[in-house]
Amino acid sequence: MVLGAAAMAAQALAATSNHPASASERSTQSAAAYGAHSSYIVQAPRAAAALSAVKSVGGKVTHDLGIINAVAATLTPVQAAALRADHHLILTPNASATVAGPIGPAKPAAPIGPAKPGGSHRPVQPYVVEHTQANLLHAAGITGKGITIAFLDTGWWSQHATQTNIAGHNVVLQGYDAIGDKTGVGAPSDDYGHGTHVLSIAANSAIAEDGTYIGIAPDAARVIVRAFDKKGAGTYANTIRGMNWILSNAKTYNIRVVNMSFGATPQSFYWNDPMAQAVMKLWQAGIVVVTSAGNSGPTAQSVTVPGNVPYVITVGAMTDNYTPSDHTRDRLDSFSSAGPTYEGFVKPEIVAPGGHVIGVMSATSPIAKAHPSFLGTNGYLGSSYFYMSGTSMSAAVVSGTVALMLQAQPYLTPDQVKCKLMSSAQPAVDGSGELAYTVFQQGAGQINAYNAVFNQNTTCANVGLNIAADLAGTHHYMGPARQEATGNFYVVDQNGNQINQQGYLWNNGYLWNQGYLWSNGYLWSNGYLWNQGYLWNNGYLWNNGFLWNQSATPSTASYSGINAWVNQE
């Protein structure tokens, strides 16, 4: 499933009454308000300054967030007001972020394929590795060996091939519990199920009935960082603390990729968001960050944080439509979140398999208990396998693919990895050769792991962006997306002119993955200000795409909430 979004708001302190409060009531209310505590992220030019400031007003520090020069702390309203008075400090409410899971009673499973005698359904076979052509790389010895993927999620259930590589050796190098601030392989146990499922898609050495590995990168080493609890819920502070640990230990464990299959609703520009800032720090340090787009599609501007960060690789979801051997029936998953971001960037960059993806799941996990019909897939691979749909699964596919790319070319930078993935993707087109989905739904198209490894394009991603300046606050950026008075979104060229109805030229290389200096001046319908002036560089070459099924284009009439169970597609 996917990681979901959550409200990013401070806890409100309010008292209501049907009659005027007495003097004693007002005194009690005032005392309660004075003593009430809320959690904040306190940022300063230096982490030590943030720590000192919190201590000076009597606040309680709960998290060291050096990655963004901050601490998390519990503060009373009076303490928070005192810190806000210091213009050197920035206070942000400690918002929530969640991994998506079942909400309310489980929905009955829809039949999958023709029924067998006795009322059972045809088992769903793993299709992801062959669909992305990762199996061709495995045959060539490219299996992710020597590359470590960190999974920032709900933890890990040690079962089957989640712990070992092809040779049977333990490749879970370390674990960190960002909730309890504890290190140790046994610390981040998965009490929800999502984290294990995601890990087993990206890195799983089990072999399917057809002889292929189930995981995209079966030899990749794994580091597990738990920031979400047994209900799939988390906070900004815990999530950022997990990123802080990853950054501090990246060299020790050779962490080259971080999978982030979670999200929160954007409440500010990306450069003001503490979680986005931490993600940018990882990218700046040479770590490839792969995020899920979210499960709130097909509505526009539904991509979640940190998927809205322009630098990272944000992944939407497609499905094989239960016909793995017929690529012409592939389609976009109806739940896959769409761009653009509020800053005008095209998201997601790519899409990957995210429909009915098989992965490891404990039968005792809350997700499996809520949806038992998806556990075991009629005995296929045993009762510890479960299939789910969501952009969480799609992100895991891409994280495994990045590990393959980095084994083949360890010197690649995150920007180069992103370019190779995008320029080797296969956009969905209809029978007339027109785009079946807009650039805001499919980005550059569907991932192809084999082509991504051998593609030679390396300079087409994040052109015009300066991450150091962005983090320093000297420059911020906007993307090329604009909105018509009718509400439709489109992409403009270097002169501010619209590039056809679908957002970009199909041939001869339109570069939409680019940023421009931000300044006030362009008023979007939702009230955000955007800049219309920027420099343009050409250079992005689109690949020819294969046909996807156009008969099942997602409807905009309704969509699944990001924190709700996503039906199998």
Side-chain angles (χ1 to χ4, degrees):
M1 218 72 224
V2 172
L3 293 192
M8 182 180 177
Q11 296 178 348
L13 297 172
T16 60
S17 176
N18 293 325
H19 56 82
S22 65
S24 62
E25 288 173 331
R26 289 196 300 270
S27 176
T28 300
Q29 292 168 2
S30 177
Y34 185 90
H37 290 76
S38 296
S39 180
Y40 292 90
I41 295 172
V42 181
Q43 292 178 276
R46 295 177 297 106
L51 175 64
S52 177
V54 170
K55 288 184 175 180
S56 71
V57 299
K60 181 181 179 181
V61 174
T62 59
H63 297 70
D64 176 6
L65 307 177
I67 190 172
I68 56 171
N69 294 324
V71 296
T74 53
L75 304 168
T76 66
V78 171
Q79 292 168 343
L83 292 179
R84 285 197 182 98
D86 187 340
H87 69 277
H88 294 102
L89 304 176
I90 299 174
L91 269 67
T92 305
N94 182 17
S96 59
T98 61
V99 300
I103 302 296
K107 296 180 181 179
I112 305 300
K116 288 185 175 182
S120 61
H121 301 301
R122 181 178 63 194
V124 176
Q125 306 293 321
Y127 70 96
V128 173
V129 169
E130 291 176 315
H131 210 76
T132 60
Q133 296 190 339
N135 58 313
L136 302 181
L137 297 172
H138 299 166
I142 302 175
T143 55
K145 189 173 184 179
I147 304 300
T148 302
I149 307 172
F151 297 89
L152 184 58
D153 214 292
T154 62
W156 167 59
W157 180 50
S158 176
Q159 189 71 2
H160 294 283
T162 62
Q163 185 174 2
T164 60
N165 61 10
I166 293 173
H169 301 144
N170 173 35
V171 286
V172 175
L173 305 183
Q174 187 57 274
Y176 173 67
D177 181 6
I179 300 173
D181 193 20
K182 297 177 182 178
T183 302
V185 171
S189 59
D190 188 357
D191 298 322
Y192 187 62
H194 185 277
T196 302
H197 196 271
V198 166
L199 181 151
S200 67
I201 295 167
N204 185 340
S205 59
I207 298 177
E209 289 181 342
D210 62 2
T212 62
Y213 294 106
I214 296 177
I216 296 290
D219 268 335
R222 302 132 210 192
V223 165
I224 296 95
V225 179
R226 181 172 66 184
F228 300 87
D229 63 19
K230 60 184 179 182
K231 295 182 180 180
T235 66
Y236 261 49
N238 286 339
T239 305
I240 296 171
R241 179 154 67 182
M243 297 183 203
N244 191 83
W245 186 92
I246 290 170
L247 182 62
S248 299
N249 292 274
K251 291 184 178 180
T252 300
Y253 301 109
N254 192 32
I255 299 172
R256 300 291 308 277
V257 192
V258 179
N259 186 89
M260 298 186 183
S261 291
F262 58 85
T265 303
Q267 296 292 319
S268 68
F269 295 129
Y270 74 86
W271 56 81
N272 288 330
D273 189 301
M275 186 189 296
Q277 293 167 5
V279 167
M280 289 162 64
K281 283 281 192 177
L282 293 175
W283 192 271
Q284 184 186 40
I287 301 171
V288 179
V289 178
V290 180
T291 73
S292 55
N295 282 5
S296 292
T299 301
Q301 293 188 306
S302 55
V303 174
T304 56
V305 181
N308 68 331
V309 176
Y311 300 92
V312 304
I313 301 166
T314 305
V315 189
M318 54 72 57
T319 174
D320 72 340
N321 218 11
Y322 300 101
T323 56
S325 61
D326 185 359
H327 283 250
T328 65
R329 298 191 64 189
D330 292 358
R331 64 176 176 84
L332 190 75
D333 280 311
S334 64
F335 54 78
S336 186
S337 287
T341 70
Y342 289 103
E343 298 80 21
F345 285 95
V346 175
K347 291 282 183 171
E349 276 84 10
I350 51 176
V351 295
H356 59 274
V357 180
I358 287 178
V360 175
M361 175 78 71
S362 168
T364 62
S365 69
I367 297 176
K369 285 183 175 180
H371 302 274
S373 59
F374 298 120
L375 185 67
T377 61
N378 261 357
Y380 182 78
L381 292 172
S383 61
S384 297
Y385 276 80
F386 185 89
Y387 60 96
M388 289 196 293
S389 294
T391 56
S392 286
M393 287 63 256
S394 306
V397 171
V398 174
S399 290
T401 299
V402 173
L404 301 179
M405 296 169 67
L406 290 173
Q407 179 193 347
Q409 296 177 296
Y411 50 83
L412 291 174
T413 67
D415 285 351
Q416 291 172 332
V417 167
K418 182 175 179 179
C419 175
K420 285 166 68 71
L421 279 167
M422 290 172 57
S423 57
S424 60
Q426 298 165 316
V429 296
D430 61 21
S432 301
E434 298 293 328
L435 293 183
Y437 306 100
T438 71
V439 68
F440 303 116
Q441 293 173 299
Q442 67 170 322
Q446 186 179 165
I447 186 177
N448 184 297
Y450 184 86
N451 289 346
V453 167
F454 293 105
N455 174 29
Q456 299 302 308
N457 295 336
T458 59
T459 60
C460 63
N462 296 341
V463 178
L465 300 177
N466 184 327
I467 196 168
D470 214 342
L471 284 166
T474 57
H475 290 97
H476 299 306
Y477 302 94
M478 64 169 293
R482 301 291 181 268
Q483 188 176 27
E484 296 174 336
T486 59
N488 294 326
F489 295 97
Y490 61 96
V491 175
V492 297
D493 64 13
Q494 64 270 33
N495 299 314
N497 299 317
Q498 181 175 350
I499 299 295
N500 74 39
Q501 294 297 318
Q502 295 178 315
Y504 56 90
L505 289 177
W506 180 246
N507 53 9
N508 293 331
Y510 176 71
L511 176 58
W512 49 257
N513 185 246
Q514 182 165 349
Y516 317 108
L517 288 181
W518 177 282
S519 66
N520 293 336
Y522 185 85
L523 183 61
W524 217 339
S525 61
N526 57 15
Y528 287 91
L529 293 176
W530 313 93
N531 176 32
Q532 284 184 307
Y534 48 82
L535 296 176
W536 182 262
N537 290 317
N538 293 323
Y540 187 83
L541 181 62
W542 288 90
N543 283 37
N544 291 329
F546 58 82
L547 301 182
W548 287 13
N549 179 27
Q550 179 65 2
S551 63
T553 302
S555 168
T556 57
S558 63
Y559 58 93
S560 300
I562 196 163
N563 284 323
W565 172 262
V566 177
N567 290 330
Q568 304 298 331
E569 293 190 8

